[in-house]
Amino acid sequence: MLQGYTYIKGLGFGGFGKVILAREEISGRLVAIKSLNDKKNLSIDNIKHEIQILSRFYHPHIVIYHNTIETPDGLHFVMEYCEGGSFQKRMKEKNLSQSKVLKIILTIAKALKFVHDQNIIHHDIKPANILFDKEETVKLADFGVANTLGFTKLYLPPIISDYTAFVSDKRHDIYSLGITTIELLNRQHPFTGLSNEQIIKKLKTGDLGISHFPDWLQEIIFTATHINENARFQTIDDFIEAIENNNIAYEIDEKLIEAAKLSKRLKWLQSQKKYYTASRELPFYDKSLLKYPILRHQVGLYYLKTNQVTKAKNTFEELRSDHGILKTSKELAIINIELGYYSRAINFLKEHLLTKPDDPEGYNLLLECYFYLKRYNTGSKLCHQLIKTFPKEACFKTNIYLFDRLNSHAPHETDQKYQYTTNKFILLNRDIFHQSHSIINPNKKDNLLKKLIFCHYDLTKNPKYNDTLEISQNGKVINLPPNSIITIGRKDFNNIIELSGINVSRKHCAIIPLKKETWLYDLDSTGTFIDNQKVQNRVLLTHKHEIDIGQHSLTINVDKNKLF
């Protein structure tokens, strides 16, 4: 036993050593003593330095370090004793509500910010290291360089394969805190018993067992635990802000877009064999842009093509350390949007936009997620940014109306701003807003959102209307107004094609007849059937179709000049 302390009982043990409860003989206070046995593999000076830094400061939610003692048989830390035990032992408590867990997680995150501000990394965030004192004050324990040997692999990103050469990165703490949040809310670790490869697969597909969490919380956890550290929260401050606001603000990285443009130009120069021009431009690249993989990769290809082997080797070795980003992330995002898993879709889109930051369709998909998650303020801010960044993209100028209208405390003022618009999507959505009191079913969840039409990117790339579209009923061709979105619904509700019957919704569906593609959108109706198949959300019309609405049947031919 250490001189000056009286042993009371053991508190825990592991590969690092042991923790005991003791009484300090001079003061009489109870203390916990953690002993690290393997001095040979420890950086003693670094450990002492970090503990000395922390011991100088007081933080109400960090376990106090009283003393560090070095003996021939090991290194010993004398710490505050937290008799309330660890969160690990409390996880099964019935009164552990989601709000209580998140309040504790937020407290730990703020304590972690204090640690990070001292340029110290915890290395071992987990429920067992979240303690409670006798007043039930939550405390963060067991951190510092000492944990480079004592960390728990299950709480670290799976891409860290060489644990003995563990490189310090504050974002690893954020990942661990995200995994800890899942474990505390679900009462079990999401990856127990899984191999490294299985964990990577679950992280890539977003299969973390959190689909029952609120959407905003899912997005926060997906971001905190992202397999690519560049798509993760970059600082603990970002994590704290997201938890406090129940929201993650999305800011356009202008430099990333600039890097993407340079990458595209460099790729074009190489395709045109203009290597001399590339060699003249490359030295003038803003060095801060070369941190982005999208540009570094293209620069590496240039070095390789021009046989600058050493430069190519250095560039690709740096890139190799970055874990590969899914090339299918955009497609997976679209699939999840169609399935209604918007938080998971956001996770894939952020991943996609890291490699394709100049993709306006990717940003529009992100806006679609915000629209259906009712994050109108976030969507409005992003949409205004995108209009400035991509001034030629019509989808943003169209969808800004939806966000501004839904986010406004004075919707009539928003409508006045657009009173002279000729945009067909805005005109249709404005009409739906004006009729909402009579066409919305209050018993159907989100009925208004599903009546409104969010303008997809592809609809604005070929805006010419289809003048060969033909719709008939009982063999009689219906006269259609030119260059219009065709609404179908019950009589007396301002529809182009009016049908009768209680099985026809007041705004039932809408047809967007463009020259190169014609779409039918179901407006959360009582049921729209195309060729005997019920429409879910929207469907592409490609030839001659039979449409069934209530007791009515319509024939729609996307090109009356062709025989289908």
Side-chain angles (χ1 to χ4, degrees):
M1 189 63 214
L2 295 175
Q3 185 176 357
Y5 297 92
T6 303
Y7 175 87
I8 296 178
K9 65 177 181 178
L11 295 175
F13 60 90
F16 61 87
K18 61 184 178 180
V19 181
I20 66 166
L21 175 64
R23 187 178 299 279
E24 192 173 56
E25 293 172 359
I26 293 178
S27 65
R29 66 185 173 189
L30 294 176
V31 294
I33 300 177
K34 179 177 181 178
S35 299
L36 303 177
N37 296 330
D38 190 2
K39 284 180 62 178
K40 292 184 295 182
N41 292 321
L42 295 175
S43 177
I44 300 296
D45 291 339
N46 284 343
I47 293 171
K48 285 182 176 179
H49 177 67
E50 290 200 358
I51 298 302
Q52 285 168 2
I53 290 174
L54 285 169
S55 63
R56 288 194 211 117
F57 297 95
Y58 169 76
H59 191 283
H61 299 292
I62 292 178
V63 168
I64 298 170
Y65 280 74
H66 297 303
N67 198 7
T68 304
I69 302 171
E70 185 178 356
T71 64
D73 62 332
L75 191 64
H76 313 275
F77 303 112
V78 181
M79 303 175 289
E80 172 187 7
Y81 171 54
C82 294
E83 60 188 76
S86 72
F87 215 154
Q88 180 78 42
K89 296 178 180 178
R90 296 190 176 200
M91 281 200 297
K92 302 300 181 183
E93 291 182 3
K94 292 182 180 179
N95 64 343
L96 203 58
S97 65
Q98 184 181 96
S99 60
K100 185 175 181 180
V101 169
L102 292 178
K103 185 177 180 181
I104 292 172
I105 288 294
L106 182 59
T107 300
I108 292 301
K110 290 180 178 179
L112 193 57
K113 169 180 165 51
F114 175 82
V115 175
H116 283 186
D117 286 347
Q118 316 309 317
N119 207 28
I120 296 172
I121 300 169
H122 189 285
H123 294 138
D124 202 17
I125 301 288
K126 59 183 179 181
N129 286 335
I130 299 174
L131 307 180
F132 298 87
D133 67 12
K134 62 182 179 181
E135 278 85 31
E136 289 296 293
T137 302
V138 63
K139 304 259 185 175
L140 180 60
D142 220 16
F143 48 87
V145 173
N147 282 325
T148 57
L149 289 180
F151 55 72
T152 311
K153 293 181 181 180
L154 208 54
Y155 294 88
L156 285 178
I159 59 171
I160 302 173
S161 56
D162 185 2
Y163 291 94
T164 58
F166 177 38
V167 178
S168 294
D169 187 331
K170 293 175 183 177
R171 294 172 297 183
H172 296 336
D173 277 351
I174 296 171
Y175 173 92
S176 301
L177 190 57
I179 295 297
T180 297
T181 303
I182 299 173
E183 182 174 8
L184 294 178
L185 289 171
N186 281 343
R187 311 296 200 272
Q188 62 181 10
H189 196 288
F191 303 142
T192 300
L194 300 183
S195 67
N196 207 57
E197 291 73 22
Q198 290 171 320
I199 293 172
I200 289 173
K201 183 178 180 181
K202 280 188 171 290
L203 287 168
K204 283 184 174 181
T205 58
D207 182 16
L208 304 182
I210 61 173
S211 58
H212 58 291
F213 291 1
D215 288 308
W216 63 267
L217 182 55
Q218 289 185 51
E219 186 185 351
I220 289 172
I221 290 173
F222 281 137
T223 304
T225 61
H226 205 290
I227 196 165
N228 184 325
E229 63 267 22
N230 294 317
R232 214 172 287 158
F233 290 112
Q234 296 301 289
T235 68
I236 193 65
D237 298 85
D238 297 334
F239 180 90
I240 291 168
E241 182 181 356
I243 290 287
E244 288 182 332
N245 297 327
N246 294 357
N247 178 44
I248 302 176
Y250 190 89
E251 296 290 336
I252 295 175
D253 189 340
E254 299 286 357
K255 287 209 163 190
L256 179 56
I257 294 175
E258 188 180 346
K261 290 177 180 177
L262 280 177
S263 175
K264 189 178 288 186
R265 171 161 175 79
L266 185 56
K267 183 178 181 180
W268 179 82
L269 288 173
Q270 292 179 72
S271 69
Q272 300 299 309
K273 314 297 183 186
K274 296 180 180 290
Y275 300 116
Y276 176 73
T277 304
S279 70
R280 297 293 297 270
E281 292 183 3
L282 197 57
F284 294 98
Y285 284 3
D286 183 342
K287 296 295 186 291
S288 66
L289 300 180
L290 291 171
K291 71 177 183 180
Y292 295 107
I294 189 171
L295 180 56
R296 280 164 57 205
H297 181 261
Q298 198 60 48
V299 169
L301 292 175
Y302 164 76
Y303 288 146
L304 197 60
K305 189 68 178 178
T306 54
N307 205 35
Q308 299 182 59
V309 178
T310 301
K311 288 183 177 180
K313 177 177 178 292
N314 292 339
T315 302
F316 283 112
E317 282 184 348
E318 289 171 5
L319 283 168
R320 187 176 62 180
S321 64
D322 294 337
H323 199 76
I325 295 175
L326 286 172
K327 293 181 180 179
T328 56
S329 50
K330 182 176 176 180
E331 289 73 21
L332 289 169
I334 294 170
I335 291 168
N336 278 280
I337 288 172
E338 292 300 319
L339 294 173
Y341 301 139
Y342 303 112
S343 297
R344 189 175 293 185
I346 289 173
N347 189 46
F348 286 122
L349 286 169
K350 288 181 176 178
E351 185 176 77
H352 166 71
L353 290 169
L354 276 175
T355 55
K356 299 288 184 182
D358 55 347
D359 176 20
E361 183 178 18
Y363 289 110
N364 202 54
L365 289 167
L366 188 60
L367 287 173
E368 186 176 359
C369 293
Y370 291 154
F371 173 70
Y372 287 113
L373 288 173
K374 302 180 184 178
R375 291 172 57 181
Y376 308 131
N377 186 49
T378 301
S380 178
K381 288 179 180 177
L382 178 58
C383 213
H384 281 285
Q385 280 185 291
L386 290 167
I387 289 170
K388 292 179 181 178
T389 306
F390 301 99
K392 295 182 180 179
E393 297 297 343
C395 58
F396 305 132
K397 296 175 183 177
T398 300
N399 289 323
I400 189 65
Y401 169 73
L402 287 175
F403 286 109
D404 283 354
R405 182 64 158 71
L406 290 163
N407 192 48
S408 176
H409 295 295
H412 62 282
E413 293 181 4
T414 304
D415 286 341
Q416 284 180 346
K417 284 170 54 180
Y418 295 91
Q419 61 180 321
Y420 300 115
T421 185
T422 58
N423 185 302
K424 299 295 191 297
F425 288 93
I426 294 178
L427 290 171
L428 172 60
N429 286 326
R430 190 173 67 185
D431 179 55
I432 290 172
F433 276 122
H434 289 171
Q435 294 191 75
S436 60
H437 64 284
S438 59
I439 65 173
I440 300 305
N441 185 344
N443 298 318
K444 295 184 77 173
K445 184 181 178 182
D446 298 333
N447 192 227
L448 174 60
L449 289 186
K450 294 172 183 176
K451 291 287 184 192
L452 298 167
I453 292 185
F454 184 89
C455 181
H456 292 89
Y457 177 77
D458 50 3
L459 299 179
T460 62
K461 301 319 292 177
N462 298 291
K464 290 184 179 179
Y465 279 80
N466 180 4
D467 56 5
T468 63
L469 180 77
E470 184 178 81
I471 301 177
S472 59
Q473 184 178 20
N474 300 324
K476 183 179 179 181
V477 175
I478 299 171
N479 289 324
L480 301 174
N483 303 330
S484 296
I485 295 175
I486 300 161
T487 54
I488 303 175
R490 202 182 301 177
K491 285 184 178 180
D492 302 322
F493 290 95
N494 198 27
N495 295 297
I496 290 176
I497 298 178
E498 296 186 321
L499 305 173
S500 59
I502 59 172
N503 290 326
V504 179
S505 297
R506 295 172 182 182
K507 283 285 184 199
H508 198 98
C509 61
I511 297 171
I512 302 174
L514 300 179
K515 194 74 175 176
K516 292 193 175 181
E517 51 187 57
T518 296
W519 288 87
L520 183 144
Y521 283 68
D522 179 75
L523 303 181
D524 201 27
S525 71
T526 53
T528 305
F529 294 83
I530 300 286
D531 303 329
N532 297 318
Q533 296 292 318
K534 188 173 183 180
V535 176
Q536 302 292 341
N537 302 325
R538 65 173 185 155
V539 64
L540 181 65
L541 303 177
T542 57
H543 50 283
K544 190 174 184 178
H545 302 274
E546 295 297 322
I547 304 178
D548 293 308
I549 297 173
Q551 68 270 37
H552 303 276
S553 292
L554 303 173
T555 301
I556 180 167
N557 191 343
V558 296
D559 190 344
K560 61 186 178 183
N561 299 321
K562 291 182 179 179
L563 292 175
F564 291 108

